[in-house]
Amino acid sequence: MTAPRLTLPSPAKLNLMLHILGRRPDGYHELQTIFQFLDYGDEITFAVRDDGVIHLHTEFDGVPHDSNLIVKAAKKLQEQSGSSLGIDIWIEKILPMGGGIGGGSSNAATTLLGLNHLWQLGWDLDRLAALGLSLGADVPVFVRGHAAFAEGVGEKLTPVEPEEPWYLVLVPQVSVSTAEIFSDPLLTRNSPPIKVRPVPKGNSRNDCLPVVARRYPDVRNALNLLGKFTEAKLTGTGSCVFGGFPSKAEADKVSALLTETLTGFVAKGSNVSMLHRKLQSLL
């Protein structure tokens, strides 16, 4: 009998805005942001083992097996659920590291949801999101799978319904360190909190953008080039730069012009993640 096997998407996210309100005593920053998913991402395949072993077969340069968030997520879920089952995992990786589009956090969330399904644990999203938060501040939004206005360190989530345009995402070939950006003395840390829902137009800036653009000329160049065609934004603290277009044809047209010299992709914005759409189809 072959082991139960499941392949799931692990989508990218964009931060449509990111305001930093202040630094907390624990060193983390209070922020407000809007997360939206892209119909674009990695693909993870899981096969159940009955010996309790957790094995990620795909290797990542510079990331030891047990340090990978996928493995950490699987081990935490195994420990907290008391499951005696194990898992073999393979990943088709296309999301860049340090890009600000949530690659590692998304992978961890897909692992939690995939194993909850395969190991038949019956955990609800609240419980999975709480475990996810211990792995990273961006993991809960991927676990919940709906576009959200986020507060705190990004864990207090209110579902929102922003427009779902087509995006052109440019991927400068640099990995931006989140810790480096958040510790930069020139980072704005005193944005006034937004109290209005939905977020008013004109509040779509990213407070990290000036710091990242100053430190990384490749990112600055991508912002300048995309900015000739649409409002160019930075997502998270990462290197990826994006802009929205009303149609795929328009996004493709600009992509054809810019991706001669830059790496990038076109993807549809989505308020319900493709991971959750796939899981719904399995029920």
Side-chain angles (χ1 to χ4, degrees):
M1 192 172 141
T2 57
R5 182 179 282 255
L6 179 63
T7 298
L8 292 172
S10 182
K13 60 83 177 166
L14 295 176
N15 294 84
L16 303 186
M17 47 77 78
L18 176 59
H19 297 179
I20 300 169
L21 314 185
R23 202 201 299 248
R24 307 193 319 188
D26 63 7
Y28 284 98
H29 286 76
E30 285 283 336
L31 52 85
Q32 290 184 322
T33 188
I34 293 176
F35 291 112
Q36 187 178 45
F37 303 102
L38 296 177
D39 282 351
Y40 181 89
D42 301 332
E43 201 168 68
I44 308 181
T45 298
F46 305 95
V48 174
R49 302 172 62 121
D50 58 12
D51 59 2
V53 171
I54 289 166
H55 186 200
L56 174 62
H57 292 263
T58 312
E59 293 183 7
F60 291 80
D61 289 344
V63 183
H65 180 272
D66 287 359
S67 299
N68 193 297
L69 268 182
I70 295 170
V71 176
K72 287 183 171 181
K75 287 189 169 175
K76 277 210 160 183
L77 187 60
Q78 187 187 53
E79 285 163 16
Q80 294 197 16
S81 68
S83 178
S84 62
L85 296 171
I87 203 80
D88 284 309
I89 308 172
W90 298 263
I91 180 166
E92 191 74 36
K93 189 75 186 159
I94 59 170
L95 299 180
M97 310 266 275
I101 54 179
S105 298
S106 180
N107 293 167
T110 294
T111 300
L112 293 176
L113 288 160
L115 299 192
N116 183 53
H117 180 84
L118 284 170
W119 289 348
Q120 299 180 339
L121 301 178
W123 281 31
D124 62 21
L125 291 185
D126 289 344
R127 200 170 174 193
L128 288 166
L131 190 156
L133 182 59
S134 69
L135 296 161
D138 287 355
V139 179
V141 75
F142 286 106
V143 168
R144 293 190 180 281
H146 200 285
F149 179 76
E151 300 176 273
V153 295
E155 86 288 5
K156 297 174 191 163
L157 301 170
T158 306
V160 291
E161 299 284 346
E163 291 173 8
E164 297 175 314
W166 285 87
Y167 292 107
L168 170 57
V169 181
L170 298 178
V171 188
Q173 300 302 292
V174 292
S175 180
V176 174
S177 160
T178 300
E180 183 185 288
I181 300 308
F182 274 123
S183 60
D184 191 295
L186 296 181
L187 180 68
T188 301
R189 296 186 175 85
N190 58 356
S191 283
I194 294 171
K195 296 191 168 70
V196 184
R197 307 288 186 275
V199 174
K201 290 242 183 289
N203 281 281
S204 64
R205 74 179 185 281
N206 180 336
D207 286 340
C208 298
L209 188 151
V211 173
V212 175
R214 191 185 79 249
R215 284 173 168 265
Y216 295 90
D218 288 359
V219 176
R220 189 165 66 242
N221 178 52
L223 284 162
N224 290 339
L225 289 171
L226 184 57
K228 291 174 181 171
F229 301 94
T230 185
E231 184 186 359
K233 301 180 183 182
L234 182 79
T235 177
T237 56
S239 58
C240 289
V241 168
F242 70 95
F245 294 86
S247 69
K248 183 176 189 296
E250 288 179 65
D252 283 339
K253 194 168 145 189
V254 176
S255 176
L257 293 170
L258 296 185
T259 53
E260 286 178 10
T261 53
L262 288 159
T263 304
F265 61 88
V266 169
K268 183 86 165 69
S270 181
N271 292 335
V272 177
S273 93
M274 59 181 183
L275 167 61
H276 281 255
R277 299 202 306 269
K278 175 72 184 274
L279 287 168
Q280 279 297 119
S281 74
L282 300 174
L283 297 178

